[in-house]
PDB file of all heavy atoms in Angstrom:
ATOM      1  N   MET S   1      -1.989 -11.091  20.392  1.00 91.00           N
ATOM      2  CA  MET S   1      -1.993 -10.760  18.995  1.00 91.00           C
ATOM      3  C   MET S   1      -3.405 -10.462  18.555  1.00 91.00           C
ATOM      4  O   MET S   1      -4.347 -11.033  19.085  1.00 91.00           O
ATOM      5  CB  MET S   1      -1.348 -11.870  18.181  1.00 91.00           C
ATOM      6  CG  MET S   1      -2.070 -13.186  18.178  1.00 91.00           C
ATOM      7  SD  MET S   1      -1.141 -14.528  17.410  1.00 91.00           S
ATOM      8  CE  MET S   1      -0.111 -14.964  18.760  1.00 91.00           C
ATOM      9  N   ASP S   2      -3.526  -9.575  17.625  1.00 93.00           N
ATOM     10  CA  ASP S   2      -4.813  -9.158  17.080  1.00 93.00           C
ATOM     11  C   ASP S   2      -5.023  -9.914  15.775  1.00 93.00           C
ATOM     12  O   ASP S   2      -4.227  -9.793  14.846  1.00 93.00           O
ATOM     13  CB  ASP S   2      -4.795  -7.648  16.862  1.00 93.00           C
ATOM     14  CG  ASP S   2      -6.129  -7.100  16.387  1.00 93.00           C
ATOM     15  OD1 ASP S   2      -7.025  -7.880  16.007  1.00 93.00           O
ATOM     16  OD2 ASP S   2      -6.258  -5.859  16.375  1.00 93.00           O
ATOM     17  N   LEU S   3      -6.099 -10.686  15.683  1.00 93.00           N
ATOM     18  CA  LEU S   3      -6.396 -11.452  14.477  1.00 93.00           C
ATOM     19  C   LEU S   3      -7.121 -10.611  13.426  1.00 93.00           C
ATOM     20  O   LEU S   3      -7.411 -11.093  12.344  1.00 93.00           O
ATOM     21  CB  LEU S   3      -7.232 -12.683  14.837  1.00 93.00           C
ATOM     22  CG  LEU S   3      -6.580 -13.639  15.836  1.00 93.00           C
ATOM     23  CD1 LEU S   3      -7.543 -14.771  16.183  1.00 93.00           C
ATOM     24  CD2 LEU S   3      -5.268 -14.179  15.314  1.00 93.00           C
ATOM     25  N   GLY S   4      -7.436  -9.359  13.748  1.00 94.00           N
ATOM     26  CA  GLY S   4      -8.057  -8.450  12.790  1.00 94.00           C
ATOM     27  C   GLY S   4      -9.569  -8.435  12.847  1.00 94.00           C
ATOM     28  O   GLY S   4     -10.197  -7.422  12.592  1.00 94.00           O
ATOM     29  N   SER S   5     -10.179  -9.572  13.115  1.00 95.00           N
ATOM     30  CA  SER S   5     -11.624  -9.701  13.293  1.00 95.00           C
ATOM     31  C   SER S   5     -11.872 -10.983  14.079  1.00 95.00           C
ATOM     32  O   SER S   5     -10.945 -11.768  14.304  1.00 95.00           O
ATOM     33  CB  SER S   5     -12.351  -9.730  11.946  1.00 95.00           C
ATOM     34  OG  SER S   5     -11.950 -10.866  11.198  1.00 95.00           O
ATOM     35  N   ILE S   6     -13.101 -11.215  14.465  1.00 94.00           N
ATOM     36  CA  ILE S   6     -13.406 -12.425  15.241  1.00 94.00           C
ATOM     37  C   ILE S   6     -13.244 -13.648  14.345  1.00 94.00           C
ATOM     38  O   ILE S   6     -13.780 -13.707  13.249  1.00 94.00           O
ATOM     39  CB  ILE S   6     -14.819 -12.347  15.831  1.00 94.00           C
ATOM     40  CG1 ILE S   6     -14.889 -11.215  16.853  1.00 94.00           C
ATOM     41  CG2 ILE S   6     -15.220 -13.674  16.461  1.00 94.00           C
ATOM     42  CD1 ILE S   6     -16.272 -10.963  17.413  1.00 94.00           C
ATOM     43  N   LYS S   7     -12.480 -14.617  14.827  1.00 94.00           N
ATOM     44  CA  LYS S   7     -12.186 -15.863  14.103  1.00 94.00           C
ATOM     45  C   LYS S   7     -12.508 -17.043  15.018  1.00 94.00           C
ATOM     46  O   LYS S   7     -12.439 -16.943  16.230  1.00 94.00           O
ATOM     47  CB  LYS S   7     -10.705 -15.955  13.713  1.00 94.00           C
ATOM     48  CG  LYS S   7     -10.144 -14.751  13.009  1.00 94.00           C
ATOM     49  CD  LYS S   7     -10.573 -14.731  11.580  1.00 94.00           C
ATOM     50  CE  LYS S   7      -9.873 -13.553  10.899  1.00 94.00           C
ATOM     51  NZ  LYS S   7     -10.384 -13.241   9.620  1.00 94.00           N
ATOM     52  N   THR S   8     -12.807 -18.193  14.422  1.00 95.00           N
ATOM     53  CA  THR S   8     -12.944 -19.437  15.171  1.00 95.00           C
ATOM     54  C   THR S   8     -11.563 -20.066  15.236  1.00 95.00           C
ATOM     55  O   THR S   8     -11.050 -20.553  14.235  1.00 95.00           O
ATOM     56  CB  THR S   8     -13.939 -20.392  14.493  1.00 95.00           C
ATOM     57  OG1 THR S   8     -15.192 -19.738  14.380  1.00 95.00           O
ATOM     58  CG2 THR S   8     -14.096 -21.671  15.309  1.00 95.00           C
ATOM     59  N   VAL S   9     -10.952 -20.035  16.398  1.00 95.00           N
ATOM     60  CA  VAL S   9      -9.579 -20.507  16.582  1.00 95.00           C
ATOM     61  C   VAL S   9      -9.613 -21.968  17.023  1.00 95.00           C
ATOM     62  O   VAL S   9     -10.209 -22.303  18.044  1.00 95.00           O
ATOM     63  CB  VAL S   9      -8.821 -19.635  17.604  1.00 95.00           C
ATOM     64  CG1 VAL S   9      -7.406 -20.136  17.797  1.00 95.00           C
ATOM     65  CG2 VAL S   9      -8.813 -18.187  17.147  1.00 95.00           C
ATOM     66  N   ARG S  10      -8.961 -22.845  16.244  1.00 95.00           N
ATOM     67  CA  ARG S  10      -8.976 -24.286  16.521  1.00 95.00           C
ATOM     68  C   ARG S  10      -7.642 -24.815  17.056  1.00 95.00           C
ATOM     69  O   ARG S  10      -7.575 -25.907  17.580  1.00 95.00           O
ATOM     70  CB  ARG S  10      -9.362 -25.041  15.274  1.00 95.00           C
ATOM     71  CG  ARG S  10     -10.681 -24.553  14.709  1.00 95.00           C
ATOM     72  CD  ARG S  10     -11.396 -25.604  13.929  1.00 95.00           C
ATOM     73  NE  ARG S  10     -12.606 -25.064  13.331  1.00 95.00           N
ATOM     74  CZ  ARG S  10     -13.765 -24.967  13.944  1.00 95.00           C
ATOM     75  NH1 ARG S  10     -13.865 -25.329  15.198  1.00 95.00           N
ATOM     76  NH2 ARG S  10     -14.826 -24.480  13.338  1.00 95.00           N
ATOM     77  N   GLY S  11      -6.578 -24.029  16.900  1.00 95.00           N
ATOM     78  CA  GLY S  11      -5.287 -24.472  17.412  1.00 95.00           C
ATOM     79  C   GLY S  11      -4.204 -23.442  17.201  1.00 95.00           C
ATOM     80  O   GLY S  11      -4.348 -22.517  16.396  1.00 95.00           O
ATOM     81  N   VAL S  12      -3.122 -23.613  17.950  1.00 95.00           N
ATOM     82  CA  VAL S  12      -1.947 -22.749  17.841  1.00 95.00           C
ATOM     83  C   VAL S  12      -0.727 -23.657  17.762  1.00 95.00           C
ATOM     84  O   VAL S  12      -0.616 -24.626  18.504  1.00 95.00           O
ATOM     85  CB  VAL S  12      -1.829 -21.806  19.064  1.00 95.00           C
ATOM     86  CG1 VAL S  12      -0.532 -21.027  19.032  1.00 95.00           C
ATOM     87  CG2 VAL S  12      -3.009 -20.853  19.117  1.00 95.00           C
ATOM     88  N   ARG S  13       0.174 -23.340  16.840  1.00 94.00           N
ATOM     89  CA  ARG S  13       1.421 -24.089  16.690  1.00 94.00           C
ATOM     90  C   ARG S  13       2.566 -23.155  17.059  1.00 94.00           C
ATOM     91  O   ARG S  13       2.684 -22.065  16.508  1.00 94.00           O
ATOM     92  CB  ARG S  13       1.571 -24.559  15.252  1.00 94.00           C
ATOM     93  CG  ARG S  13       2.785 -25.406  15.014  1.00 94.00           C
ATOM     94  CD  ARG S  13       2.758 -25.902  13.550  1.00 94.00           C
ATOM     95  NE  ARG S  13       3.932 -26.644  13.241  1.00 94.00           N
ATOM     96  CZ  ARG S  13       4.847 -26.270  12.356  1.00 94.00           C
ATOM     97  NH1 ARG S  13       4.692 -25.148  11.671  1.00 94.00           N
ATOM     98  NH2 ARG S  13       5.897 -27.001  12.125  1.00 94.00           N
ATOM     99  N   LEU S  14       3.401 -23.591  18.019  1.00 89.00           N
ATOM    100  CA  LEU S  14       4.499 -22.769  18.527  1.00 89.00           C
ATOM    101  C   LEU S  14       5.830 -23.468  18.301  1.00 89.00           C
ATOM    102  O   LEU S  14       5.943 -24.674  18.495  1.00 89.00           O
ATOM    103  CB  LEU S  14       4.358 -22.560  20.039  1.00 89.00           C
ATOM    104  CG  LEU S  14       3.078 -21.963  20.570  1.00 89.00           C
ATOM    105  CD1 LEU S  14       3.043 -22.074  22.078  1.00 89.00           C
ATOM    106  CD2 LEU S  14       2.961 -20.530  20.133  1.00 89.00           C
ATOM    107  N   THR S  15       6.828 -22.702  17.937  1.00 86.00           N
ATOM    108  CA  THR S  15       8.208 -23.180  17.966  1.00 86.00           C
ATOM    109  C   THR S  15       8.923 -22.304  18.975  1.00 86.00           C
ATOM    110  O   THR S  15       8.951 -21.088  18.832  1.00 86.00           O
ATOM    111  CB  THR S  15       8.884 -23.079  16.590  1.00 86.00           C
ATOM    112  OG1 THR S  15       8.096 -23.805  15.646  1.00 86.00           O
ATOM    113  CG2 THR S  15      10.279 -23.661  16.624  1.00 86.00           C
ATOM    114  N   MET S  16       9.438 -22.936  20.014  1.00 82.00           N
ATOM    115  CA  MET S  16      10.015 -22.178  21.119  1.00 82.00           C
ATOM    116  C   MET S  16      11.526 -22.272  21.138  1.00 82.00           C
ATOM    117  O   MET S  16      12.116 -23.163  20.532  1.00 82.00           O
ATOM    118  CB  MET S  16       9.448 -22.692  22.428  1.00 82.00           C
ATOM    119  CG  MET S  16       9.873 -24.112  22.750  1.00 82.00           C
ATOM    120  SD  MET S  16       8.840 -24.861  23.959  1.00 82.00           S
ATOM    121  CE  MET S  16       8.074 -26.102  22.943  1.00 82.00           C
ATOM    122  N   ARG S  17      12.122 -21.350  21.854  1.00 81.00           N
ATOM    123  CA  ARG S  17      13.567 -21.349  22.102  1.00 81.00           C
ATOM    124  C   ARG S  17      13.764 -21.118  23.591  1.00 81.00           C
ATOM    125  O   ARG S  17      13.047 -20.328  24.213  1.00 81.00           O
ATOM    126  CB  ARG S  17      14.271 -20.243  21.312  1.00 81.00           C
ATOM    127  CG  ARG S  17      14.173 -20.415  19.815  1.00 81.00           C
ATOM    128  CD  ARG S  17      15.033 -21.581  19.367  1.00 81.00           C
ATOM    129  NE  ARG S  17      14.977 -21.785  17.944  1.00 81.00           N
ATOM    130  CZ  ARG S  17      14.354 -22.793  17.355  1.00 81.00           C
ATOM    131  NH1 ARG S  17      13.709 -23.680  18.061  1.00 81.00           N
ATOM    132  NH2 ARG S  17      14.368 -22.917  16.054  1.00 81.00           N
ATOM    133  N   SER S  18      14.754 -21.807  24.160  1.00 79.00           N
ATOM    134  CA  SER S  18      15.022 -21.705  25.584  1.00 79.00           C
ATOM    135  C   SER S  18      16.482 -22.029  25.834  1.00 79.00           C
ATOM    136  O   SER S  18      17.097 -22.768  25.076  1.00 79.00           O
ATOM    137  CB  SER S  18      14.117 -22.684  26.341  1.00 79.00           C
ATOM    138  OG  SER S  18      14.425 -22.685  27.698  1.00 79.00           O
ATOM    139  N   SER S  19      17.034 -21.502  26.918  1.00 77.00           N
ATOM    140  CA  SER S  19      18.434 -21.794  27.242  1.00 77.00           C
ATOM    141  C   SER S  19      18.571 -23.074  28.059  1.00 77.00           C
ATOM    142  O   SER S  19      19.660 -23.590  28.224  1.00 77.00           O
ATOM    143  CB  SER S  19      19.053 -20.634  28.020  1.00 77.00           C
ATOM    144  OG  SER S  19      18.411 -20.485  29.265  1.00 77.00           O
ATOM    145  N   SER S  20      17.472 -23.585  28.563  1.00 69.00           N
ATOM    146  CA  SER S  20      17.510 -24.786  29.388  1.00 69.00           C
ATOM    147  C   SER S  20      17.193 -26.016  28.553  1.00 69.00           C
ATOM    148  O   SER S  20      16.456 -25.942  27.578  1.00 69.00           O
ATOM    149  CB  SER S  20      16.494 -24.663  30.520  1.00 69.00           C
ATOM    150  OG  SER S  20      16.497 -25.831  31.298  1.00 69.00           O
ATOM    151  N   THR S  21      17.724 -27.159  28.948  1.00 68.00           N
ATOM    152  CA  THR S  21      17.438 -28.387  28.212  1.00 68.00           C
ATOM    153  C   THR S  21      16.735 -29.435  29.062  1.00 68.00           C
ATOM    154  O   THR S  21      16.226 -30.409  28.527  1.00 68.00           O
ATOM    155  CB  THR S  21      18.734 -29.010  27.670  1.00 68.00           C
ATOM    156  OG1 THR S  21      19.611 -29.276  28.775  1.00 68.00           O
ATOM    157  CG2 THR S  21      19.408 -28.094  26.681  1.00 68.00           C
ATOM    158  N   ASP S  22      16.703 -29.263  30.363  1.00 75.00           N
ATOM    159  CA  ASP S  22      16.137 -30.320  31.201  1.00 75.00           C
ATOM    160  C   ASP S  22      15.002 -29.847  32.099  1.00 75.00           C
ATOM    161  O   ASP S  22      14.705 -30.459  33.111  1.00 75.00           O
ATOM    162  CB  ASP S  22      17.229 -30.961  32.041  1.00 75.00           C
ATOM    163  CG  ASP S  22      17.919 -29.957  32.951  1.00 75.00           C
ATOM    164  OD1 ASP S  22      17.631 -28.753  32.835  1.00 75.00           O
ATOM    165  OD2 ASP S  22      18.741 -30.385  33.765  1.00 75.00           O
ATOM    166  N   THR S  23      14.367 -28.751  31.743  1.00 77.00           N
ATOM    167  CA  THR S  23      13.233 -28.258  32.519  1.00 77.00           C
ATOM    168  C   THR S  23      12.002 -28.185  31.623  1.00 77.00           C
ATOM    169  O   THR S  23      12.105 -28.153  30.405  1.00 77.00           O
ATOM    170  CB  THR S  23      13.508 -26.875  33.118  1.00 77.00           C
ATOM    171  OG1 THR S  23      13.797 -25.967  32.057  1.00 77.00           O
ATOM    172  CG2 THR S  23      14.663 -26.915  34.087  1.00 77.00           C
ATOM    173  N   SER S  24      10.843 -28.144  32.247  1.00 82.00           N
ATOM    174  CA  SER S  24       9.602 -28.118  31.473  1.00 82.00           C
ATOM    175  C   SER S  24       9.180 -26.693  31.142  1.00 82.00           C
ATOM    176  O   SER S  24       9.630 -25.731  31.745  1.00 82.00           O
ATOM    177  CB  SER S  24       8.494 -28.821  32.247  1.00 82.00           C
ATOM    178  OG  SER S  24       8.182 -28.104  33.414  1.00 82.00           O
ATOM    179  N   ILE S  25       8.281 -26.602  30.165  1.00 85.00           N
ATOM    180  CA  ILE S  25       7.685 -25.335  29.764  1.00 85.00           C
ATOM    181  C   ILE S  25       6.175 -25.533  29.757  1.00 85.00           C
ATOM    182  O   ILE S  25       5.675 -26.485  29.166  1.00 85.00           O
ATOM    183  CB  ILE S  25       8.162 -24.888  28.371  1.00 85.00           C
ATOM    184  CG1 ILE S  25       9.672 -24.703  28.357  1.00 85.00           C
ATOM    185  CG2 ILE S  25       7.460 -23.614  27.947  1.00 85.00           C
ATOM    186  CD1 ILE S  25      10.237 -24.406  26.982  1.00 85.00           C
ATOM    187  N   ASP S  26       5.448 -24.660  30.439  1.00 87.00           N
ATOM    188  CA  ASP S  26       3.992 -24.699  30.473  1.00 87.00           C
ATOM    189  C   ASP S  26       3.446 -23.549  29.648  1.00 87.00           C
ATOM    190  O   ASP S  26       3.956 -22.426  29.730  1.00 87.00           O
ATOM    191  CB  ASP S  26       3.475 -24.555  31.908  1.00 87.00           C
ATOM    192  CG  ASP S  26       3.833 -25.735  32.774  1.00 87.00           C
ATOM    193  OD1 ASP S  26       3.843 -26.869  32.258  1.00 87.00           O
ATOM    194  OD2 ASP S  26       4.108 -25.528  33.962  1.00 87.00           O
ATOM    195  N   PHE S  27       2.395 -23.815  28.881  1.00 86.00           N
ATOM    196  CA  PHE S  27       1.752 -22.798  28.063  1.00 86.00           C
ATOM    197  C   PHE S  27       0.275 -22.718  28.391  1.00 86.00           C
ATOM    198  O   PHE S  27      -0.376 -23.736  28.611  1.00 86.00           O
ATOM    199  CB  PHE S  27       1.850 -23.133  26.574  1.00 86.00           C
ATOM    200  CG  PHE S  27       3.229 -23.126  26.027  1.00 86.00           C
ATOM    201  CD1 PHE S  27       3.926 -24.302  25.874  1.00 86.00           C
ATOM    202  CD2 PHE S  27       3.828 -21.943  25.649  1.00 86.00           C
ATOM    203  CE1 PHE S  27       5.195 -24.307  25.354  1.00 86.00           C
ATOM    204  CE2 PHE S  27       5.107 -21.934  25.132  1.00 86.00           C
ATOM    205  CZ  PHE S  27       5.781 -23.116  24.991  1.00 86.00           C
ATOM    206  N   ALA S  28      -0.260 -21.514  28.370  1.00 91.00           N
ATOM    207  CA  ALA S  28      -1.696 -21.286  28.369  1.00 91.00           C
ATOM    208  C   ALA S  28      -1.981 -20.373  27.184  1.00 91.00           C
ATOM    209  O   ALA S  28      -1.268 -19.400  26.954  1.00 91.00           O
ATOM    210  CB  ALA S  28      -2.160 -20.630  29.662  1.00 91.00           C
ATOM    211  N   VAL S  29      -2.989 -20.703  26.409  1.00 93.00           N
ATOM    212  CA  VAL S  29      -3.429 -19.856  25.304  1.00 93.00           C
ATOM    213  C   VAL S  29      -4.747 -19.235  25.744  1.00 93.00           C
ATOM    214  O   VAL S  29      -5.679 -19.943  26.138  1.00 93.00           O
ATOM    215  CB  VAL S  29      -3.604 -20.659  24.002  1.00 93.00           C
ATOM    216  CG1 VAL S  29      -4.076 -19.758  22.882  1.00 93.00           C
ATOM    217  CG2 VAL S  29      -2.310 -21.358  23.621  1.00 93.00           C
ATOM    218  N   LEU S  30      -4.803 -17.912  25.705  1.00 92.00           N
ATOM    219  CA  LEU S  30      -5.976 -17.168  26.169  1.00 92.00           C
ATOM    220  C   LEU S  30      -6.570 -16.377  25.020  1.00 92.00           C
ATOM    221  O   LEU S  30      -5.843 -15.981  24.096  1.00 92.00           O
ATOM    222  CB  LEU S  30      -5.583 -16.226  27.304  1.00 92.00           C
ATOM    223  CG  LEU S  30      -4.969 -16.913  28.521  1.00 92.00           C
ATOM    224  CD1 LEU S  30      -3.461 -16.784  28.466  1.00 92.00           C
ATOM    225  CD2 LEU S  30      -5.496 -16.329  29.787  1.00 92.00           C
ATOM    226  N   GLY S  31      -7.866 -16.125  25.066  1.00 93.00           N
ATOM    227  CA  GLY S  31      -8.532 -15.366  24.018  1.00 93.00           C
ATOM    228  C   GLY S  31      -9.606 -14.469  24.569  1.00 93.00           C
ATOM    229  O   GLY S  31     -10.122 -14.687  25.673  1.00 93.00           O
ATOM    230  N   ASP S  32      -9.978 -13.458  23.781  1.00 91.00           N
ATOM    231  CA  ASP S  32     -10.996 -12.506  24.206  1.00 91.00           C
ATOM    232  C   ASP S  32     -11.396 -11.661  23.003  1.00 91.00           C
ATOM    233  O   ASP S  32     -10.722 -11.679  21.977  1.00 91.00           O
ATOM    234  CB  ASP S  32     -10.452 -11.608  25.321  1.00 91.00           C
ATOM    235  CG  ASP S  32     -11.542 -11.049  26.212  1.00 91.00           C
ATOM    236  OD1 ASP S  32     -12.431 -10.366  25.670  1.00 91.00           O
ATOM    237  OD2 ASP S  32     -11.501 -11.294  27.418  1.00 91.00           O
ATOM    238  N   ASN S  33     -12.462 -10.903  23.150  1.00 90.00           N
ATOM    239  CA  ASN S  33     -12.903  -9.982  22.102  1.00 90.00           C
ATOM    240  C   ASN S  33     -12.853  -8.526  22.533  1.00 90.00           C
ATOM    241  O   ASN S  33     -13.098  -7.637  21.745  1.00 90.00           O
ATOM    242  CB  ASN S  33     -14.335 -10.316  21.660  1.00 90.00           C
ATOM    243  CG  ASN S  33     -14.388 -11.610  20.912  1.00 90.00           C
ATOM    244  OD1 ASN S  33     -13.514 -11.903  20.104  1.00 90.00           O
ATOM    245  ND2 ASN S  33     -15.392 -12.420  21.185  1.00 90.00           N
ATOM    246  N   SER S  34     -12.551  -8.267  23.810  1.00 86.00           N
ATOM    247  CA  SER S  34     -12.624  -6.916  24.357  1.00 86.00           C
ATOM    248  C   SER S  34     -11.404  -6.061  24.060  1.00 86.00           C
ATOM    249  O   SER S  34     -11.507  -4.849  24.015  1.00 86.00           O
ATOM    250  CB  SER S  34     -12.828  -6.977  25.865  1.00 86.00           C
ATOM    251  OG  SER S  34     -14.011  -7.665  26.152  1.00 86.00           O
ATOM    252  N   GLY S  35     -10.246  -6.656  23.921  1.00 80.00           N
ATOM    253  CA  GLY S  35      -9.031  -5.883  23.679  1.00 80.00           C
ATOM    254  C   GLY S  35      -7.815  -6.630  24.175  1.00 80.00           C
ATOM    255  O   GLY S  35      -7.911  -7.566  24.970  1.00 80.00           O
ATOM    256  N   LEU S  36      -6.656  -6.215  23.702  1.00 74.00           N
ATOM    257  CA  LEU S  36      -5.421  -6.912  24.047  1.00 74.00           C
ATOM    258  C   LEU S  36      -5.104  -6.864  25.534  1.00 74.00           C
ATOM    259  O   LEU S  36      -4.495  -7.788  26.071  1.00 74.00           O
ATOM    260  CB  LEU S  36      -4.255  -6.330  23.248  1.00 74.00           C
ATOM    261  CG  LEU S  36      -4.231  -6.697  21.764  1.00 74.00           C
ATOM    262  CD1 LEU S  36      -3.135  -5.925  21.045  1.00 74.00           C
ATOM    263  CD2 LEU S  36      -4.034  -8.184  21.580  1.00 74.00           C
ATOM    264  N   THR S  37      -5.500  -5.826  26.221  1.00 76.00           N
ATOM    265  CA  THR S  37      -5.145  -5.713  27.639  1.00 76.00           C
ATOM    266  C   THR S  37      -6.061  -6.525  28.546  1.00 76.00           C
ATOM    267  O   THR S  37      -5.773  -6.683  29.725  1.00 76.00           O
ATOM    268  CB  THR S  37      -5.173  -4.242  28.092  1.00 76.00           C
ATOM    269  OG1 THR S  37      -6.491  -3.722  27.878  1.00 76.00           O
ATOM    270  CG2 THR S  37      -4.155  -3.428  27.335  1.00 76.00           C
ATOM    271  N   THR S  38      -7.164  -7.056  28.021  1.00 78.00           N
ATOM    272  CA  THR S  38      -8.113  -7.797  28.844  1.00 78.00           C
ATOM    273  C   THR S  38      -8.221  -9.269  28.475  1.00 78.00           C
ATOM    274  O   THR S  38      -9.146  -9.935  28.908  1.00 78.00           O
ATOM    275  CB  THR S  38      -9.509  -7.161  28.755  1.00 78.00           C
ATOM    276  OG1 THR S  38      -9.952  -7.215  27.394  1.00 78.00           O
ATOM    277  CG2 THR S  38      -9.496  -5.731  29.251  1.00 78.00           C
ATOM    278  N   VAL S  39      -7.320  -9.791  27.681  1.00 85.00           N
ATOM    279  CA  VAL S  39      -7.396 -11.183  27.250  1.00 85.00           C
ATOM    280  C   VAL S  39      -7.221 -12.087  28.462  1.00 85.00           C
ATOM    281  O   VAL S  39      -6.157 -12.121  29.080  1.00 85.00           O
ATOM    282  CB  VAL S  39      -6.331 -11.491  26.177  1.00 85.00           C
ATOM    283  CG1 VAL S  39      -6.363 -12.953  25.789  1.00 85.00           C
ATOM    284  CG2 VAL S  39      -6.538 -10.617  24.953  1.00 85.00           C
ATOM    285  N   SER S  40      -8.298 -12.821  28.832  1.00 84.00           N
ATOM    286  CA  SER S  40      -8.233 -13.582  30.072  1.00 84.00           C
ATOM    287  C   SER S  40      -8.899 -14.954  30.026  1.00 84.00           C
ATOM    288  O   SER S  40      -8.756 -15.724  30.956  1.00 84.00           O
ATOM    289  CB  SER S  40      -8.863 -12.763  31.202  1.00 84.00           C
ATOM    290  OG  SER S  40     -10.212 -12.495  30.886  1.00 84.00           O
ATOM    291  N   THR S  41      -9.623 -15.283  28.981  1.00 89.00           N
ATOM    292  CA  THR S  41     -10.314 -16.568  28.912  1.00 89.00           C
ATOM    293  C   THR S  41      -9.356 -17.646  28.424  1.00 89.00           C
ATOM    294  O   THR S  41      -8.823 -17.556  27.312  1.00 89.00           O
ATOM    295  CB  THR S  41     -11.526 -16.478  27.965  1.00 89.00           C
ATOM    296  OG1 THR S  41     -12.386 -15.441  28.416  1.00 89.00           O
ATOM    297  CG2 THR S  41     -12.277 -17.794  27.920  1.00 89.00           C
ATOM    298  N   VAL S  42      -9.122 -18.663  29.239  1.00 90.00           N
ATOM    299  CA  VAL S  42      -8.197 -19.738  28.868  1.00 90.00           C
ATOM    300  C   VAL S  42      -8.860 -20.636  27.831  1.00 90.00           C
ATOM    301  O   VAL S  42      -9.952 -21.162  28.039  1.00 90.00           O
ATOM    302  CB  VAL S  42      -7.785 -20.565  30.103  1.00 90.00           C
ATOM    303  CG1 VAL S  42      -6.920 -21.741  29.691  1.00 90.00           C
ATOM    304  CG2 VAL S  42      -7.064 -19.692  31.111  1.00 90.00           C
TER     305      VAL S  42
END
């Protein structure tokens, strides 16, 4: 997602949906300033 300009990001809140009830979900949040296709810093 594009935040429109450089921001100091302190957290992300997610509400997820899944068809499974007994398996885990892993998340990584990545950020960058170069462009949407190069977002790679965890």
Side-chain angles (χ1 to χ4, degrees):
M1 65 189 82
D2 184 348
L3 301 176
S5 63
I6 295 175
K7 309 283 185 192
T8 302
V9 180
R10 305 207 184 276
V12 173
R13 183 176 176 245
L14 304 170
T15 304
M16 66 198 113
R17 296 289 180 252
S18 175
S19 64
S20 178
T21 58
D22 60 353
T23 59
S24 66
I25 300 174
D26 293 324
F27 295 98
V29 179
L30 301 100
D32 205 302
N33 290 320
S34 301
L36 287 173
T37 59
T38 61
V39 177
S40 60
T41 303
V42 175

